[in-house]
Amino acid sequence: IQGGCAGEPLHASMGAMQQLLAWDHVSGSFRPDPRRILDGREGQLPELRGFKFTNRWVKDPSSEPAVFAALVQEMLLFYKAPLPVVVTLDLDQTLWFGECAEWPPGTYESGSAATGAFPLRMVSTEKDETGRYPHLELHRDAPLIFGALRLLRASGAVRIAIASASPARGSALALLEKFGLIDGEMWLEIGDGDGGDGSGGATAETTAHGKVGHLRRLAKRMGVPKEEVRERFVLFDDSERNVDSVREEEPHGLHCNALVLDPATGLTAEAVARGLEHHCKELQREREDGFDGRLTEAERLAPDREQQRKMRQDRLGRRGERQAEVDGGRASDKLRALRVDPGWWVAAPLDGEEVDWRLVELATRLFKTC
């Protein structure tokens, strides 16, 4: 299946937009390639102003977890971030390309491709209606990221947590185990309304606001004081709604830093570096401003409440602009910024078989630019 923007030149060898597609050797199909959009530099994302560690990784990436771990460790020490940082990850579309609810235990086995101890895909044991064996695959950088996070966890720099609203808790746990991602030191909050460890005990406060409730339960179980949650937790999620709710200030949100991931690429090493460096820079700015969790020193010294309100509103506006800038590395944002004639197309070969409309709908969502 192919997709792209109307009015753009086609790649001569495959009749599709060269700059929007890349061959994925794991899935055996073309996928959106956000690193080849807008700036014309193949294989490299544009630099983010002031993100020295993220830009260094983009210029000189590595497939070695130890190299990525060393860069993150240096970053956390440079910005004097409170440790450990709780790196909190969503599951569906974030770690793997698909929905774990559609993969109940016992219906698949590990595929042949693997990176170290991490299988890269699960293959169904039964054919679908087209005669093929469906598969669920990890996003490409997941093994590198988890290898690095485990090294950082051993040094006391991070904790690893999973926060997912998927109702298929059993399927999620089985997939995490099959992919080699889960271990006894990982913190889990899967589902909604449960304590995440199977013990229950969730309260109205911890279930009222979706992903906010997940983080509150994780903090309680980890022993992280309420006033330190914003300094410790960083969420990576493909849902803008989840990220926005976590970023919102108390009492409805947590004032935590979070990053919206593009579902086309999921969790990448660059996104982890970008999200963590954004977190560090925001905390550094808050320390310099004397932020106490609600007001800065200048706001506390305002002559009246109206002036204080305006100063606080202005600060939140600037924070929102910085959040928008850090989210600007998403492929969908770059696609929307392309200057093309209105319109888009999706083409699927039939070959006498029924069209996979779910795949067509996904391509429509990934490639729509207008």
Side-chain angles (χ1 to χ4, degrees), residues 7 12 21-22 26 52 64 128 181 209 214 271 276 278 283 287 303 329:
L21 297 179
V26 175
K52 58 182 294 184
E64 293 296 325
D128 61 17
L181 302 178
H209 303 292
H214 285 91
L276 289 176
H278 172 67
L283 293 184
R287 289 195 299 269

Side-chain angles (χ1 to χ4, degrees), residues 106-171:
T107 64
Y108 54 85
E109 57 189 18
S110 298
S112 57
T115 297
F118 301 95
L120 292 181
R121 67 167 121 175
M122 298 295 142
V123 181
S124 174
T125 55
E126 297 183 2
K127 293 181 180 180
D128 61 17
E129 61 274 11
T130 68
R132 298 185 177 91
Y133 290 96
H135 64 268
L136 177 75
E137 64 188 65
L138 277 182
H139 284 300
R140 182 175 56 187
D141 281 0
L144 166 67
I145 293 164
F146 271 77
L149 289 178
R150 287 173 179 174
L151 292 173
L152 290 163
R153 183 179 61 189
S155 71
V158 306
R159 288 179 172 180
I160 310 170
I162 298 293
S164 170
S166 172
R169 178 179 170 81
S171 296

Side-chain angles (χ1 to χ4, degrees), residues 29 176 180 281 365:
S29 62
L176 285 168
K281 289 168 69 69
R365 179 165 62 90

Side-chain angles (χ1 to χ4, degrees), residues 99-244:
E99 305 285 335
C100 60
E102 299 176 1
W103 293 81
T107 64
Y108 54 85
E109 57 189 18
S110 298
S112 57
T115 297
F118 301 95
L120 292 181
R121 67 167 121 175
M122 298 295 142
V123 181
S124 174
T125 55
E126 297 183 2
K127 293 181 180 180
D128 61 17
E129 61 274 11
T130 68
R132 298 185 177 91
Y133 290 96
H135 64 268
L136 177 75
E137 64 188 65
L138 277 182
H139 284 300
R140 182 175 56 187
D141 281 0
L144 166 67
I145 293 164
F146 271 77
L149 289 178
R150 287 173 179 174
L151 292 173
L152 290 163
R153 183 179 61 189
S155 71
V158 306
R159 288 179 172 180
I160 310 170
I162 298 293
S164 170
S166 172
R169 178 179 170 81
S171 296
L173 292 175
L175 284 169
L176 285 168
E177 183 175 358
K178 277 283 190 178
F179 279 125
L181 302 178
I182 196 171
D183 57 37
E185 297 181 63
M186 183 181 292
W187 296 83
L188 304 173
E189 278 291 340
I190 301 174
D192 208 3
D194 189 277
D197 56 355
S199 61
T203 66
E205 180 189 29
T206 59
T207 59
H209 303 292
K211 202 59 64 100
V212 172
H214 285 91
L215 267 62
R216 282 177 175 163
R217 292 196 295 274
L218 283 167
K220 183 177 180 180
R221 292 169 51 212
M222 290 179 171
V224 178
K226 183 178 179 180
E227 61 273 12
E228 294 183 14
V229 170
R230 67 179 176 83
E231 298 180 347
R232 301 285 185 177
F233 281 80
V234 184
L235 174 67
F236 295 87
D237 198 309
D238 68 290
S239 167
E240 292 185 53
R241 184 176 66 175
N242 287 339
V243 167
D244 289 343

